C-alpha cells in the first residue's frame, strides 16, 4: 500500500517538524542555559578564573583546598548542616501537629489553613527578613515582650553568634504552612472506615495515630522531608539580609550559598566558587539518594 | 526523577467527614491550640503593619497592635528614602514579573504540548532530560550563566532575568503542565484533526482553552516567585534605578540602618502587599496547587 505508507511517512515527517517546532524554546534553553553551563561549570571548577583573563587550569587544586585548607568552608558546612538538621524536622513536626489538629472536622478549616499558609508564601521575601532583624534585635519586639511579661532583659539574639542561627531556624519553622497543606491533603486520603474499625476494636486515639495515621502518612512525610531538605540546603535570602551579606556575626550564619555568593560575586573567584557549587550539588544529590535508599525501610506504599 | 519521588498526587475532597468523631473537650483543645498558633504566627506581621503607621518614637516602646496616633509619615519618608523613588522600583519589579509570567506560561505550555501530544524522534530522550533538570540545583549553572550574560553585555539589564524564562528553563512548570495536558481526553484532539486542524490550531483552540486552571496556577506562582526573588536581581542589577523593590528594600536597610524602622516597615509592608492581595484573590488556587503538586512554597 504505497499511498498509505507515503501518508504515514508524511505524518511522521510532519510530526517531527511540529514536535521540534514546539519544543524549540525548551530545547534552546536546555542546551544553552543548562547543558552548556553544567559542562562549563565543571570545567571552571578545575581552573583559576577571575573573569578578566582566560581561565587558568589548576586541576583538582580547588577541590583539594576546599577539602583540606579552607576554614570558612568548614564553617559554612557546619552552619548549613545545623540549619538543615534543626529546621527541617522541627518544621515537619509542627506542620504535622497542626494538620492533625485541623483534621478534626472543625469549622473554620479553610480560614486556619489559609492563615497558616500565608507565612510560607511571603517568608522568603526581604520584607520578612527585615522584620526578623527588628524582632530579634536587642531592643526588638521579642525583648520588649519578654520585658513586659517577665521583666527579663534579653540580649540581641541577632548580634549574638551563639543564637543568631536559631533565629533563622525559627524563621524557617514559621513557614510550615505549605508542608501542612500537603499533610492535610494526605490525612484526608486515609479512609475513614479504618479508624472506625480500630475504634470498635478499642484502640485509643493516641494508639490510632501511631498505628494508622503515621504509617499511612509515610509517603507524604517522605515527600515533604525530601523537598524541604533540598530547599533548606539552598536557603539564602534571609541569612543575607539579616547579616548584611556577611554571614555574621563571626560567620555564625554563613550559609553555604552565602559563602558561594561571596566567593563568586564579591571576590570574583569563579573557579573556586564553581568547585563550591559542585560540592553543594553533590551533597544534595547524595542526601536525596540516601533518602530514597532509606525509604524502603520506613515508607509504606500501598501498591 | 520525579517519577521516583512519587509526588503524592492528592485530591482535596470538598469536606472530610470527620466531624463528630472528636469529643467536645478534644475539639475545644484543638480550637485553643489553633487560635494560639494563629496569634503567634500573625503577631509579628500585624505588628509590622501597625508599626509602619506609628511615629518612630513609639516603635520601640509598643508591643500593641493598635497605633495610638496613626500617621502615614513613615510611608512618605520611605517612599523617597532612596535616591530613586520606590515607585520606580515597583514598576521595575512589575515589568520583570509580567515578562517572566508571559515567558514561563508560553514556553512551558509549548514544551508540555510537544511532550504530551506530538510524536517526534527523540521525544522520550528529551523528556527524560527535562525530568533530569527538575531537581538540578541552580548553583550548577549559576556561574557560567553569569559569565555568559556578562560577555553578552546583558549584566545590569533585565535581560538575564527575563529572556531565559522564554526558553522554558523552569522545568517545574513544564512538568506541571505535562501532568495537566495528559488529563485532557485525546478524543478532543482527534475530533479536531478530523476537522482538518493542524498541531498549532489544536494547541491554540483545544488544549489551551481547556487548561485555564493550570495556566492560572503557573501564572500566579511565577508572578509571586519572581516578585519575591532576591538572588537573581542581586547578581544581575547594579544601578539603583534598575533595582527591583526587593533589592531597593535591602539597600534601604543599609542606608536607613537602625535609624528609621518606621520607614523600613512601611516599605516592607508595601513590597508584601501585592503578594498578599494575590493570596486573598487566588487563595483556593494556591492551596490546591500546593496540595496536588507538592510545590515547595
Amino acid at each position: 500500500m504505497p499511498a498509505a505508507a507515503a501518508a504515514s511517512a508524511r505524518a511522521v515527517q510532519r510530526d517531527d517538524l511540529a514536535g521540534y517546532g514546539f519544543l524549540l524554546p525548551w530545547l534552546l534553553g536546555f542546551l544553552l542555559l543548562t547543558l552548556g553551563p553544567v559542562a562549563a561549570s565543571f570545567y571552571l571548577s578545575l581552573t583559576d578564573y577571575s573573569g578578566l583573563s582566560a581561565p587558568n587550569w589548576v586541576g583538582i587544586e580547588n577541590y583539594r583546598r576546599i577539602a583540606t585548607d579552607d576554614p570558612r568552608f568548614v564553617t559554612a558546612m557546619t552552619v548549613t548542616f545545623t540549619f538543615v538538621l534543626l529546621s527541617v524536622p522541627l518544621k515537619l513536626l509542627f506542620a504535622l501537629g497542626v494538620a492533625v489538629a485541623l483534621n478534626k472536622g472543625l469549622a473554620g478549616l479553610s480560614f486556619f489553613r489559609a492563615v497558616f499558609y500565608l507565612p510560607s508564601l511571603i517568608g522568603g521575601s526581604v520584607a520578612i527578613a527585615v522584620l526578623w532583624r527588628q524582632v530579634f534585635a536587642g531592643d526588638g519586639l521579642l525583648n520588649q515582650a519578654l520585658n513586659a511579661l517577665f521583666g527579663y532583659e534579653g540580649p540581641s539574639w541577632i548580634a549574638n553568634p551563639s543564637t543568631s542561627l536559631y533565629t533563622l531556624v525559627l524563621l524557617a519553622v514559621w513557614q510550615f504552612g505549605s508542608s501542612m497543606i500537603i499533610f492535610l491533603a494526605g490525612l484526608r486520603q486515609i479512609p475513614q472506615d479504618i479508624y472506625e474499625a480500630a475504634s470498635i476494636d478499642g484502640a485509643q486515639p493516641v494508639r490510632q495515630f501511631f498505628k494508622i495515621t503515621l504509617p499511612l502518612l509515610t509517603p507524604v512525610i517522605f515527600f515533604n522531608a525530601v523537598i524541604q531538605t533540598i530547599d533548606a540546603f539552598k536557603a539564602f535570602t534571609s541569612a543575607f539580609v539579616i547579616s548584611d551579606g556577611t554571614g555574621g556575626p563571626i560567620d555564625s550564619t554563613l550559609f553555604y550559598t552565602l559563602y558561594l555568593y561571596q566567593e563568586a560575586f564579591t571576590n570574583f573567584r569563579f573557579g573556586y566558587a564553581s568547585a563550591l557549587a559542585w560540592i553543594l550539588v553533590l551533597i544534595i544529590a547524595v542526601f536525596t539518594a540516601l533518602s530514597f535508599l532509606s525509604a524502603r525501610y520506613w515508607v509504606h506504599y500501598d501498591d | 526523577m520525579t517519577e521516583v519521588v512519587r509526588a503524592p498526587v492528592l485530591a482535596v475532597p470538598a469536606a472530610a467527614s470527620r466531624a463528630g468523631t472528636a469529643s467536645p473537650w478534644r475539639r475545644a483543645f484543638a480550637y485553643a491550640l489553633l487560635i494560639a498558633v494563629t496569634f503567634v504566627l500573625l503577631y509579628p506581621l500585624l505588628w509590622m503593619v501597625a508599626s509602619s503607621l506609628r511615629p518612630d518614637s513609639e516603635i520601640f516602646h509598643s508591643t500593641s497592635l493598635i497605633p495610638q496616633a496613626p500617621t502615614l509619615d513613615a510611608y512618605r519618608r520611605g517612599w523617597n528614602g532612596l535616591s530613586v523613588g520606590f515607585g520606580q522600583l515597583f514598576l521595575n519589579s512589575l515589568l520583570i514579573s509580567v515578562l517572566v509570567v508571559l515567558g514561563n506560561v508560553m514556553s512551558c505550555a509549548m514544551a508540555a504540548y510537544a511532550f504530551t501530544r506530538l510524536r517526534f524522534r527523540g521525544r522520550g530522550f528529551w523528556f527524560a532530560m527535562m525530568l533530569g533538570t527538575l531537581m538540578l540545583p541552580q548553583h550548577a549553572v549559576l556561574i557560567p550563566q553569569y559569565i555568559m550574560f556578562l560577555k553578552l553585555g546583558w549584566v545590569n539589564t533585565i535581560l538575564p532575568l527575563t529572556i531565559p524564562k522564554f526558553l522554558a528553563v523552569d522545568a517545574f512548570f513544564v512538568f506541571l503542565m505535562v501532568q495537566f495536558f495528559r488529563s485532557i481526553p485525546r478524543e478532543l484532539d482527534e475530533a479536531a484533526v478530523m476537522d482538518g486542524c493542524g498541531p498549532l490550531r489544536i494547541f491554540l483552540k483545544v488544549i489551551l482553552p481547556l487548561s485555564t486552571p493550570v495556566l492560572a496556577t503557573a501564572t500566579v506562582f511565577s508572578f509571586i516567585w519572581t516578585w519575591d526573588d532576591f538572588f537573581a536581581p542581586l547578581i544581575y542589577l547594579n544601578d539603583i534605578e534598575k533595582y527591583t523593590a526587593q533589592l531597593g528594600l535591602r539597600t534601604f536597610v543599609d542606608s536607613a540602618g537602625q535609624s528609621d524602622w518606621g520607614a523600613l516597615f512601611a516599605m516592607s509592608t508595601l513590597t508584601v502587599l501585592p503578594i498578599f492581595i494575590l493570596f486573598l484573590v487566588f487563595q483556593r488556587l494556591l492551596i490546591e496547587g500546593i496540595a496536588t503538586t507538592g510545590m515547595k512554597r
Side-chain angles (χ1 to χ4, degrees):
Chain A
M1 281 186 282
S8 79
R10 209 181 61 215
V12 170
Q13 190 71 22
R14 273 189 53 180
D15 267 352
D16 261 354
L17 190 67
Y20 279 97
F22 274 93
L23 199 62
L24 190 64
W26 176 84
L27 202 57
L28 281 176
F30 175 69
L31 297 176
L32 297 176
L33 296 168
T34 304
L35 198 62
V38 165
S41 118
F42 185 64
Y43 164 71
L44 284 180
S45 76
L46 302 170
T47 69
D48 193 2
Y49 183 45
S50 66
L52 296 175
S53 50
N56 178 24
W57 179 267
V58 295
I60 59 160
E61 171 60 18
N62 288 329
Y63 291 99
R64 193 202 58 78
R65 231 174 74 209
I66 290 170
T68 60
D69 195 17
D70 183 352
R72 288 196 92 205
F73 167 77
V74 178
T75 309
M77 288 288 274
T78 315
V79 168
T80 306
F81 270 88
T82 311
F83 176 75
V84 169
L85 294 177
L86 277 178
S87 70
V88 174
L90 282 175
K91 182 194 259 189
L92 293 187
L93 216 62
F94 202 59
L96 181 60
V98 174
V100 168
L102 267 182
N103 197 39
K104 300 255 180 259
L106 303 174
L109 166 76
S110 46
F111 167 79
F112 284 120
R113 194 175 56 178
V115 165
F116 295 165
Y117 173 55
L118 185 62
S120 329
L121 198 61
I122 60 175
S125 65
V126 175
I128 299 306
V130 168
L131 173 62
W132 233 247
R133 257 177 90 128
Q134 204 286 342
V135 168
F136 292 98
D139 48 3
L141 180 62
L142 177 67
N143 283 344
Q144 282 181 57
L146 288 177
N147 197 8
L149 292 173
F150 311 109
Y152 172 72
E153 293 280 341
S156 168
W157 309 91
I158 296 265
N160 182 345
S162 60
T163 52
S164 52
L165 183 57
Y166 302 109
T167 65
L168 292 171
V169 169
L170 215 57
L171 178 55
V173 177
W174 188 65
Q175 302 169 55
F176 71 100
S178 60
S179 309
M180 178 210 67
I181 288 174
I182 297 170
F183 277 135
L184 202 51
L187 285 170
R188 292 170 152 218
Q189 300 285 92
I190 300 177
Q192 199 51 41
D193 43 7
I194 301 185
Y195 290 103
E196 278 154 20
S199 292
I200 292 166
D201 290 346
Q204 291 304 304
V206 174
R207 201 175 147 76
Q208 288 184 18
F209 176 79
F210 284 104
K211 293 290 172 186
I212 301 172
T213 311
L214 217 48
L216 288 178
L217 213 54
T218 45
V220 185
I221 296 173
F222 175 67
F223 177 78
N224 269 340
V226 170
I227 297 289
Q228 292 298 336
T229 304
I230 294 178
D231 234 31
F233 272 119
K234 297 194 284 193
F236 177 80
T237 304
S238 46
F240 185 93
V241 174
I242 288 175
S243 72
D244 281 326
T246 63
I250 40 175
D251 284 352
S252 60
T253 61
L254 186 70
F255 281 12
Y256 197 96
T257 52
L258 201 49
Y259 182 44
L260 176 60
Y261 168 84
Q262 291 177 355
E263 284 297 298
F265 299 104
T266 44
N267 301 331
F268 299 105
R269 292 191 201 120
F270 290 126
Y272 197 67
S274 296
L276 286 173
W278 272 102
I279 290 174
L280 178 64
V281 171
L282 203 69
I283 291 172
I284 293 177
V286 167
F287 212 91
T288 313
L290 286 179
S291 311
F292 280 109
L293 284 178
S294 80
R296 74 176 66 178
Y297 299 106
W298 64 275
V299 178
H300 302 269
Y301 290 111
D302 27 278
D303 48 48
Chain B
M1 246 186 269
T2 309
E3 294 262 302
V4 203
V5 184
R6 292 218 218 185
V9 178
L10 305 158
V12 187
S17 58
R18 299 220 56 188
T21 55
S23 74
W25 279 111
R26 309 184 111 258
R27 300 183 67 162
F29 178 73
Y31 269 121
L33 182 79
L34 292 174
I35 290 166
V37 171
T38 306
F39 183 74
V40 172
L41 280 185
L42 291 191
Y43 193 87
L45 278 181
L46 296 173
W47 182 81
M48 175 176 88
V49 178
S51 296
S52 73
L53 298 168
R54 287 190 164 108
D56 231 26
S57 57
E58 204 184 311
I59 291 181
F60 287 99
H61 305 287
S62 179
T63 51
S64 98
L65 295 182
I66 298 147
Q68 309 221 304
T71 161
L72 285 176
D73 247 21
Y75 284 83
R76 259 173 242 125
R77 288 199 310 274
W79 193 257
N80 302 308
L82 292 172
S83 60
V84 177
F86 257 88
Q88 176 69 47
L89 307 184
F90 275 95
L91 281 179
N92 294 343
S93 280
L94 187 68
L95 176 68
I96 293 170
S97 304
V98 168
L99 286 173
V100 166
V101 167
L102 280 178
N104 263 342
V105 170
M106 276 168 34
S107 63
C108 295
M110 284 172 69
Y113 178 64
F115 284 135
T116 52
R117 285 307 209 260
L118 302 173
R119 230 168 264 128
F120 53 94
R121 264 169 285 169
R123 182 176 77 168
F125 174 75
W126 295 123
F127 188 66
M129 291 290 115
M130 191 278 290
L131 290 180
T133 61
L134 260 180
M135 291 179 90
L136 184 76
Q138 274 308 298
H139 304 88
V141 296
L142 175 71
I143 290 164
Q145 275 189 11
Y146 177 82
I147 292 165
M148 184 172 81
F149 292 136
L150 191 69
K151 300 251 147 109
L152 285 171
W154 286 11
V155 168
N156 204 18
T157 72
I158 63 169
L159 296 175
L161 306 176
T162 51
I163 297 297
K165 309 296 175 175
F166 285 86
L167 301 177
V169 289
D170 284 340
F172 173 75
F173 289 118
V174 178
F175 183 69
L176 190 71
M177 292 185 194
V178 162
Q179 299 288 74
F180 192 90
F181 290 177
R182 277 184 179 154
S183 71
I184 300 174
R186 276 193 179 269
E187 289 75 30
L188 296 172
D189 307 33
E190 281 153 17
V193 171
M194 295 294 184
D195 291 346
C197 288
L200 182 63
R201 297 254 320 261
I202 295 176
F203 178 59
L204 294 175
K205 302 283 176 186
V206 179
I207 302 292
L208 286 188
L210 290 171
S211 304
T212 38
V214 75
L215 299 179
T217 305
T219 298
V220 177
F221 274 106
S222 65
F223 187 94
I224 291 176
W225 291 346
T226 312
W227 184 272
D228 251 2
D229 187 26
F230 177 67
F231 191 69
L234 174 71
I235 290 175
Y236 287 115
L237 302 176
N238 305 330
D239 294 341
I240 193 162
E241 59 271 19
K242 291 173 182 159
Y243 275 12
T244 60
Q246 302 290 334
L247 218 45
L249 184 58
R250 129 89 193 150
T251 310
F252 197 34
V253 176
D254 278 353
S255 62
Q258 311 282 329
S259 58
D260 195 353
W261 280 105
L264 216 42
F265 283 154
M267 291 308 104
S268 295
T269 305
L270 285 187
T271 60
V272 174
L273 195 64
I275 297 179
F276 185 68
I277 292 170
L278 286 175
F279 165 74
L280 288 183
V281 177
F282 294 106
Q283 206 200 98
R284 264 212 104 71
L285 191 79
L286 290 168
I287 287 175
E288 273 165 25
I290 301 271
T292 51
T293 65
M295 266 182 280
K296 51 185 184 286
R297 273 210 254 168

